[in-house]
Amino acid sequence: MEFPVFTLDQFGSGSLIALVAIVHVLISHGAAVGGSIMVVALETYAMKHKDLEMDDFAHRLLKYFFVVTTAVGALTGVGIWLTTGVVQPAAIGSMLRVFFWFWFTEWIVFVSEVVFILLYYFTWPKLTGAKKVLHRNIGIAYAVSSWLTMTLITGILAFMLTPGAWLSDGSRWDAFFNPTYLPSLAFRTFLALALASGFTMLYTQITVRKAELRARVLGVASRVLAGAGVMMFLTGYWYYQSVPGGGRALIQWATALSPQQFDLINYGGIFVVFLFAMVAIFYPMRLAASGRINRVIGVTASLLVMALAVFYVGEIEMVRESIRKPYVISGYMYANGIRVSDVERLNTEGILPNARFSPIQQVTPGQEIEAGREVFRLECQSCHVLHNFARQRRDLAFRLQGWNETTIYNYVKNLHQARAFMPPFVGTDQELRALSKFLATVPTQGTTATAGSPAGGIHE
Amino acid sequence: MSPVPHDLPISIPGSIPFFTVLLVVGFVLHIVFVLLTVSGAVMSVVTEAVGHAKKDGRYLELAQRVLTATSVNKSLAVVLGVAPLLLVGVLYTRFFYPPTVILGGTWLSVIWLLILGFLLLYAYKFSWERLQARPGVHLLLGVLGTIPFLVVPMIFVVVMGLMRRPDLWMQTHSFVQAMFYPTVWPRYLHFMAATAVFGGLLPIWIAWRQERKASREKGGVTRTSPEASVAGSETAAAAEAQTGGGLEGALDSRWATGYGLRWTGVALLIEVVLGLVVLFTMPGSVRGHFLGGSAFSTLGFAVGAAAVAAALGVVYAARRHPRPGRVLRNLGIALFVVVLAMATVRLQIRDVEISPYTAASQPSGQTAGP
């Protein structure tokens, strides 16, 4: 209530965070963590077998990982900061204070990661002969620092989901080593390897002309993939079991899949990945062979692995965003930025008089709809938009069709009981009536309700 | 009601003076690489254009090497920006978040603009050889890739400037409106001129590396003769060629040093004028601090001004016989002192401007969290 509210109609602030986060996770996991391990593995293979073609291939692959990591990965990483800061200033401000030193440490590791990738990439043609081992070791240093950044950030991400003992003792170490920390770190590590293997296989199939080289690359990548597949299955199950009961029930809901589809895609998908890896290990030449049909099969199979890995990344991010609801920091702050400890006070004082940036400070007769719109912005907008061009589930103009003021009032009053993932309505009864009045107008004159509300503006 | 939010109930996890020092140091490291990145992009494009216009290969070669250095600098600029971002968020929570929300759309466009700029600059870099026959197309890639680097500093100047003016928060509706608040344009131009001042270091650094490499290959000869520098640069060029540089022939290191000195020298003179404009467009109460009002601010300002004079002296002294190693060291130290003094003074301005609000809004009716 202390900070202004960011408006992004049609798309929604939550979707914006998800977009930036998914792009970032795909790159940081796939290209940085998984990609560094993959390139080092290929370079090591090339050194061991004195395979110059393979060495050249590994260098070319690194160029793609390098461009995408330094241009898109690093920027979307900072982008998550900026986006969450704009959408949830109170939450991100709080987390920054709880985790400052972890983040500061992560930053130091992140600096070394960038320095190592710059060195690894730019010294590839220079450190040859006797210095080749040194070059490969720079690669290992890059891979390690890349993985270390992940180990640090995962603690904070898992904390948002399961703050564990921090809620009672306030210890930063308990906050970091929270119940889902280790399983999610393990799962993300193997997912990163699967993602990098999928990309490497696809890239090989598309760009490498010589079938023998393709087969050799597939040989290395498929071994990594097979290990990652088995471990993803085990650690994924561990992660799933470590999420507290209520959250687990929400996982399936969050993915919008039926239980059968959920099992099929998650367990079946990982099995397909593993199967493909086995085929590539035992019959690399079959998959790599030239000839149109072989090429189509090879490309399709790599594409499938890649697509499944991308799906899992999207899934864990969407699930992570969804299952911590109704909180943004579990047990401490609701998804709309209201602290649990402030609820009682706000219920008596009202939300509008406490909203520093709201132009309307109380509900007055004749101004109920405007006041209701402010209440909407303060309490609902961090997740909901009035109109959403893509996701009907989040489009209130669609979902409120046929609802009148009274139905809305009664529903919102008991919202948190009807839907466990929704925060309770906070504020006075008068404010709730104003909100209901405003929401009842949304389906009919929805577009005018937000007209003049510029994205990012705080005033109408 | 004061527009400034209450502070969060969770305390700042460390000593505030220590965090403030970290913020200044972190910011200086970040901004040095930002200055080098912005100027590197601009200089590459300008130098390549001059090279094509004059049909002088030296310019083309230098432009390409500046671009390679820029692709490294831009990565360091981004990663070094995280620490100041963290520290500003912790120390100035109540002042930093509101302007970023108020100008949220524009503030977030920084990410997409920089991704676009970086990808275009990579395209510009990796297509250097392939597009040499079509300089127009190649330069277009460079120009497009440079535009985001000219826009993003403006966004930072506006948002960070708004942070110091809570009285303007409630009336700010759009970025364009905020762009014309007093002090925005002088500050922006002051920053852009600073990029050119630092940009001059790039050719000098490239020249110095070339001479150093040459002297090493001559068997530890420290003082390089022109011949040695030519021989060395050939091997350097060969190495560059493998990394995708594909440079042929040597880069005349004295010529390159002179070229860098011209950028720095001219930009420094412009900067002195713009610096005075910035000083006199400040609110009088703030300006007073630098002109005797506060010993610390006045000292910071004086040190900065003295370092600018020293930098001008270095440029002037080196105009006839530019030795890259020496120039790089002296100019580098002088300019680093300037930035350090500027960053300290800048923080001081912020603290002076927000001081009426820091006392007024202590936590009141809030319950403490864990």
Side-chain angles (χ1 to χ4, degrees):
Chain A
M1 302 307 101
E2 288 286 313
F3 292 93
V5 183
F6 178 66
T7 306
L8 188 65
D9 202 30
Q10 295 297 345
F11 196 67
S13 314
S15 305
L16 181 69
I17 295 178
L19 175 74
V20 180
I22 288 174
V23 171
H24 178 70
V25 171
L26 277 177
I27 292 167
S28 64
H29 287 36
V33 177
S36 57
I37 297 174
M38 180 59 72
V39 173
V40 169
L42 292 171
E43 189 184 16
T44 308
Y45 175 96
M47 285 161 70
K48 204 168 144 195
H49 297 87
K50 303 209 175 354
D51 186 341
L52 286 179
E53 279 179 343
M54 179 66 100
D55 191 67
D56 186 53
F57 172 80
H59 187 205
R60 268 194 295 138
L61 184 65
L62 179 62
K63 181 174 162 180
Y64 281 87
F65 287 146
F66 173 78
V67 167
V68 86
T69 325
T70 54
V72 192
L75 261 307
T76 46
V78 181
I80 295 178
W81 277 104
L82 300 190
T83 316
T84 49
V86 165
V87 176
Q88 295 274 12
I92 213 73
S94 304
M95 284 203 290
L96 203 48
R97 292 190 181 193
V98 175
F99 287 113
F100 179 81
W101 290 107
F102 290 104
W103 256 317
F104 198 77
T105 314
E106 196 231 344
W107 170 68
I108 293 169
V109 183
F110 181 33
V111 172
S112 58
E113 180 188 349
V114 169
V115 170
F116 281 130
I117 192 179
L118 289 169
L119 279 175
Y120 191 46
Y121 179 71
F122 282 105
T123 61
W124 196 297
K126 292 172 190 166
L127 296 179
T128 48
K131 288 184 178 160
K132 187 69 177 161
V133 177
L134 171 65
H135 182 260
R136 199 269 319 268
N137 291 346
I138 294 174
I140 292 176
Y142 166 49
V144 169
S145 54
S146 223
W147 183 75
L148 280 178
T149 29
M150 187 158 97
T151 64
L152 287 166
I153 203 73
T154 303
I156 298 164
L157 294 177
F159 162 78
M160 291 170 72
L161 195 59
T162 50
W166 176 81
L167 285 175
S168 50
D169 65 14
S171 150
R172 294 189 160 84
W173 291 103
D174 281 333
F176 186 77
F177 290 103
N178 60 76
T180 52
Y181 173 59
L182 285 177
S184 62
L185 175 64
F187 182 69
R188 280 170 189 273
T189 305
F190 296 110
L191 179 57
L193 283 173
L195 205 53
S197 316
F199 179 79
T200 307
M201 289 173 158
L202 186 63
Y203 178 72
T204 316
Q205 296 283 13
I206 293 172
T207 66
V208 175
R209 293 230 177 88
K210 281 178 76 174
E212 290 76 21
L213 177 58
R214 276 206 298 274
R216 292 202 297 279
V217 175
L218 282 178
V220 177
S222 56
R223 280 171 174 79
V224 175
L225 186 61
V230 173
M231 293 310 290
M232 261 167 75
F233 187 82
L234 297 175
T235 56
Y237 186 73
W238 182 22
Y239 187 20
Y240 188 64
Q241 291 303 316
S242 68
V243 174
R248 220 173 333 161
L250 278 170
I251 289 183
Q252 275 177 23
W253 171 82
T255 56
L257 296 170
S258 74
Q260 292 79 12
Q261 287 170 324
F262 183 83
D263 288 348
L264 183 73
I265 293 194
N266 286 290
Y267 298 117
I270 295 178
F271 182 69
V272 169
V273 169
F274 180 72
L275 207 65
F276 172 69
M278 285 297 145
V279 174
I281 288 175
F282 291 107
Y283 306 100
M285 268 320 277
R286 282 279 170 78
L287 267 178
S290 302
R292 185 161 294 175
I293 294 171
N294 277 321
R295 291 306 296 269
V296 170
I297 293 172
V299 170
T300 314
S302 320
L303 212 54
L304 182 69
V305 169
M306 186 76 197
L308 275 168
V310 170
F311 173 83
Y312 294 138
V313 166
E315 185 181 28
I316 59 170
E317 288 308 306
M318 295 307 276
V319 164
R320 203 175 57 75
E321 281 290 312
S322 302
I323 61 176
R324 66 157 182 264
K325 284 176 185 171
Y327 301 105
V328 63
I329 301 173
S330 191
Y332 177 68
M333 186 182 278
Y334 286 115
N336 50 17
I338 296 177
R339 268 185 293 272
V340 177
S341 58
D342 284 341
V343 168
E344 231 169 282
R345 182 171 62 85
L346 293 171
N347 279 340
T348 28
E349 290 175 11
I351 191 130
L352 290 174
N354 279 289
R356 197 172 289 275
F357 286 85
S358 168
I360 296 174
Q361 293 286 315
Q362 57 180 335
V363 185
T364 45
Q367 234 197 345
E368 285 97 343
I369 291 184
E370 288 74 13
R373 185 194 310 162
E374 281 306 312
V375 175
F376 171 80
R377 298 182 47 143
L378 292 162
E379 290 203 44
C380 319
Q381 206 173 244
S382 54
C383 302
H384 294 281
V385 283
L386 297 176
H387 309 95
N388 192 315
F389 77 96
R391 298 170 74 188
Q392 271 190 341
R393 200 158 93 172
R394 305 223 171 193
D395 184 335
L396 282 188
F398 170 78
R399 295 196 50 173
L400 288 173
Q401 271 165 22
W403 290 52
N404 65 29
E405 205 183 311
T406 323
T407 357
I408 295 176
Y409 173 85
N410 289 325
Y411 183 73
V412 176
K413 201 179 167 92
N414 301 306
L415 194 61
H416 53 295
Q417 278 146 9
R419 306 204 153 221
F421 50 85
M422 294 286 293
F425 173 81
V426 175
T428 61
D429 190 61
Q430 210 187 6
E431 286 171 338
L432 176 54
R433 286 190 192 282
L435 174 69
S436 314
K437 207 172 201 116
F438 165 67
L439 287 178
T441 67
V442 169
T444 45
Q445 46 166 329
T447 24
T448 53
T450 46
S453 161
I458 53 162
H459 307 295
E460 306 297 329
Chain B
M1 202 187 315
S2 158
V4 180
H6 291 304
D7 199 10
L8 300 169
I10 303 172
S11 58
I12 292 177
S15 126
I16 292 178
F18 174 65
F19 275 12
T20 309
V21 171
L22 268 187
L23 174 60
V24 172
V25 174
F27 176 76
V28 167
L29 287 176
H30 165 64
I31 209 70
V32 163
F33 283 98
V34 170
L35 292 166
L36 290 172
T37 303
V38 174
S39 58
V42 174
M43 186 184 279
S44 240
V45 175
V46 170
T47 311
E48 193 197 357
V50 171
H52 285 301
K54 288 191 173 177
K55 304 217 182 310
D56 186 338
R58 290 182 304 182
Y59 288 93
L60 298 179
E61 199 174 308
L62 181 62
Q64 192 176 9
R65 291 200 197 181
V66 167
L67 186 58
T68 301
T70 303
S71 66
V72 173
N73 290 338
K74 67 111 185 47
S75 291
L76 294 173
V78 169
V79 71
L80 290 172
V82 174
L85 184 69
L86 284 177
L87 287 157
V88 160
V90 166
L91 286 174
Y92 295 92
T93 316
R94 302 181 293 153
F95 296 91
F96 173 69
Y97 289 110
T100 65
V101 178
I102 292 167
L103 299 175
T106 314
W107 175 243
L108 295 182
S109 70
V110 163
I111 300 304
W112 311 110
L113 281 170
L114 287 179
I115 289 177
L116 186 71
F118 286 3
L119 289 176
L120 281 166
L121 277 196
Y122 275 126
Y124 180 53
K125 174 174 148 72
F126 289 124
S127 66
W128 198 284
E129 272 75 33
R130 231 175 307 150
L131 286 179
Q132 271 314 293
R134 304 174 67 190
V137 179
H138 189 241
L139 276 170
L140 183 67
L141 273 180
V143 170
L144 291 177
T146 304
I147 291 171
F149 295 103
L150 306 181
V151 177
V152 169
M154 177 52 107
I155 298 176
F156 270 87
V157 167
V158 168
V159 172
M160 293 299 171
L162 199 55
M163 184 177 158
R164 297 173 292 112
R165 293 295 304 274
D167 55 310
L168 295 174
W169 290 353
M170 295 302 270
Q171 67 194 61
T172 303
H173 305 274
S174 76
F175 178 73
V176 177
Q177 175 201 3
M179 227 165 88
F180 294 98
Y181 283 157
T183 79
V184 166
W185 281 94
R187 276 163 185 273
Y188 173 73
L189 294 174
H190 188 57
F191 174 82
M192 293 315 286
T195 66
V197 171
F198 269 78
L201 292 175
L202 290 167
I204 304 174
W205 181 76
I206 289 164
W208 169 70
R209 272 188 40 125
Q210 180 166 296
E211 286 206 349
R212 198 185 53 159
K213 198 162 199 169
S215 67
R216 252 195 221 148
E217 270 151 33
K218 276 276 168 184
V221 185
T222 41
R223 179 74 52 92
T224 51
S225 61
E227 292 79 10
S229 110
V230 170
S233 62
E234 271 166 5
T235 46
E240 295 280 342
Q242 288 182 36
T243 58
L247 299 175
E248 282 169 32
L251 187 65
D252 179 343
S253 63
R254 287 192 173 215
W255 170 83
T257 309
Y259 184 75
L261 282 171
R262 278 204 300 282
W263 276 76
T264 301
V266 172
L268 265 174
L269 291 174
I270 297 173
E271 194 67 329
V272 170
V273 177
L274 286 170
L276 290 174
V277 174
V278 169
L279 185 66
F280 286 98
T281 49
M282 276 177 192
S285 59
V286 180
R287 181 171 53 240
H289 274 78
F290 302 109
L291 305 175
S294 138
F296 185 75
S297 306
T298 311
L299 183 70
F301 183 67
V303 168
V308 169
L312 275 169
V314 174
V315 175
Y316 186 75
R319 75 195 186 287
R320 290 266 161 72
H321 305 289
R323 288 219 199 91
R326 205 160 162 185
V327 174
L328 188 67
R329 187 192 60 207
N330 295 343
L331 205 51
I333 291 172
L335 293 182
F336 190 78
V337 172
V338 175
V339 172
L340 193 61
M342 288 284 177
T344 315
V345 162
R346 179 177 172 274
L347 198 72
Q348 190 80 12
I349 298 179
R350 181 187 293 158
D351 287 349
V352 169
E353 291 199 74
I354 65 175
S355 58
Y357 302 96
T358 40
S361 49
Q362 287 305 310
S364 62
Q366 296 183 7
T367 43

